[in-house]
Amino acid sequence: MNVPLVAASNYRPGGDRYYGRTDVSETIEAFEELLGGLEDGPAVAFSSGMAAVAAVLSLVPVGGEIALPGDCYQGVTQAVAAGAGAGRWRARVVPTSAVDEWRGAIDQCDLVWLESPTNPLLEVLDLDVLCTPRPGRRALIAVDNTFATPLAQRPLELGADLVVHSATKFIGGHSDLLAGAVVARDLALAGSLREHRALAGSVPGVLEAFLALRGARTLALRLGRGQESATVLADRLAGSPWVTRVRYPGRSDHATAEAAQRQLAGPGALLSFDTIGGVDEVETFLSALRVVTVATSLGGVESTAERRAALAGQEHLPPTLVRLSVGCEHVEDLWDDMVQAAATAFTTHG
Ligand SMILES: *Cc1c(COP(=O)(O)O)cnc(C)c1O
């Protein structure tokens, strides 16, 4: 029933493998086959999501231009800014819903980086419109599909060139591995990414590939459960006096509800909310949580919450915004936990 965990860095002559950095083991290949099957393209696995990001960025020629959304995974924002600061390329930040600006970027830039839903505002970009092939398109279009997963959206089908995953999140699903992947629209692009991986040395560990395969088996169950609970929690939070705003793609009051409805097969297991009071009250709320774990990262079986504005480069966020990754706990345990923490933190506000 299981793919063998083949740990090997070196090979005897006579087989079809030479060295583990250039010819990955069959455990890693099995993970690539699985993700490639889900996204419908050749997949290349990496040692982390950011290693996958670095591989895509390596495709940009020196002096080229990269467009990326204003709300974006903070590691990507930092990596693109660092390259721009070093004179490696130019960076263009585009507001998530500015379709005409995105079109301009697609015609003028070398790489257009799309993330949808975005982290952590959960805005849904119009991938239908942006990825559709049309004359004048110049840029490679990469879509970070970590939040949606291939179960909710498959960007290659819409016309994207590259799909990027942090398998550390929903695909692995148990907060016990770091891994990433890029799925390419064709073998030539996948070949360039493999070449980069061999020279950068960003091959995933074989145990990580094994664990990612194990995690992926329950992706649909975990995501289904998380999204069911997230739907309940988003509505209850929206009706709570200590919450000023809920951002959840499944709610009709969401900023990009129409695109979410049209594009995503499910609203997902992530939501963000802003609270009354200030940073001190939210921090009190977070430290009073006992079922929800206050930690970074997302997509695990355990629910995690984090005040994202505390991170470097996230100054565009409301200071009280809490990002909640809804895991597999019982929804009433999660809700009771948030209610008791709110009672501790927001009492003076009624
Ligand atoms: C976590 C994350 C990454 C980076 O992945 P790592 O596995 O942490 O390197 C990239 N994009 C998104 C959307 C993420 O959430």
Side-chain angles (χ1 to χ4, degrees):
M1 297 291 283
N2 290 287
V3 174
L5 201 163
V6 180
S9 61
N10 212 359
Y11 295 88
R12 289 204 170 89
D16 48 9
R17 285 184 173 79
Y18 172 69
Y19 185 55
R21 181 156 47 68
T22 46
D23 312 292
V24 298
S25 99
E26 49 251 65
T27 317
I28 298 166
E29 271 183 5
F31 173 57
E32 291 178 335
E33 236 172 79
L34 173 103
L35 199 62
L38 288 172
E39 292 284 11
D40 203 14
V44 185
F46 289 91
S47 52
S48 70
M50 283 309 295
V53 170
V56 172
L57 294 181
S58 80
L59 301 173
V60 177
V62 171
E65 188 168 9
I66 302 170
L68 74 170
D71 186 45
C72 186
Y73 177 68
Q74 146 267 358
V76 173
T77 306
Q78 279 182 302
V80 172
R88 168 80 175 72
W89 50 59
R90 284 164 294 133
R92 184 192 294 203
V93 176
V94 180
T96 43
S97 54
V99 171
D100 288 337
E101 273 186 63
W102 280 119
R103 281 221 183 90
I106 288 165
D107 295 350
Q108 291 150 16
C109 293
D110 299 276
L111 173 69
V112 166
W113 185 272
L114 304 176
E115 181 182 301
S116 183
T118 65
N119 182 0
L121 295 177
L122 300 166
E123 287 172 0
V124 176
L125 273 71
D126 210 327
L127 298 185
D128 274 343
V129 169
L130 299 180
C131 297
T132 300
R134 63 183 171 78
R137 170 162 158 182
R138 177 170 181 273
L140 278 175
I141 298 181
V143 178
D144 188 331
N145 206 20
T146 300
F147 273 30
T149 86
L151 301 188
Q153 121 186 320
R154 310 208 303 158
L156 293 179
E157 275 178 2
L158 303 175
D161 299 297
L162 300 156
V163 176
V164 180
H165 278 285
S166 168
T168 310
K169 314 294 169 55
F170 287 102
I171 290 170
H174 295 74
S175 309
D176 56 5
L177 67 92
L178 281 167
V182 184
V183 191
R185 68 153 192 250
D186 58 35
L187 287 168
L189 261 179
S192 302
L193 295 164
R194 268 196 201 101
E195 247 164 64
H196 166 90
R197 180 178 67 181
L199 296 176
S202 46
V203 175
V206 66
L207 177 62
E208 281 72 9
F210 183 86
L211 289 172
L213 281 166
R214 162 183 278 222
R217 284 175 165 108
T218 53
L219 174 61
L221 295 172
R222 290 182 284 103
L223 188 64
R225 167 81 165 204
Q227 133 178 311
E228 227 170 77
S229 299
T231 302
V232 171
L233 296 174
D235 288 345
R236 291 191 191 170
L237 286 165
S240 299
W242 52 278
V243 173
T244 56
R245 179 162 182 187
V246 173
R247 292 175 174 85
Y248 185 56
R251 278 180 57 83
S252 58
D253 64 355
H254 188 58
T256 52
E258 188 276 324
Q261 270 285 331
R262 179 160 42 84
Q263 240 165 235
L264 292 168
L270 284 153
L271 63 91
S272 295
F273 58 92
D274 309 344
T275 69
I276 59 169
V279 168
D280 287 350
E281 281 91 341
V282 186
E283 294 289 354
T284 305
F285 167 76
L286 290 173
S287 49
L289 290 168
R290 289 197 286 267
V291 179
V292 177
T293 306
V294 180
T296 196
S297 201
L298 54 104
V301 289
E302 290 87 11
S303 297
T304 52
E306 186 172 45
R307 191 176 73 80
R308 289 297 284 183
L311 275 69
Q314 297 293 285
E315 292 77 19
H316 67 290
L317 299 176
T320 66
L321 181 139
V322 174
R323 187 191 67 195
L324 180 67
S325 171
V326 183
C328 296
E329 302 92 340
H330 197 291
V331 65
E332 297 305 337
D333 287 341
L334 293 172
W335 180 242
D336 288 350
D337 191 33
M338 286 198 272
V339 168
Q340 67 77 25
T344 307
F346 304 112
T347 41
T348 52
H349 296 268

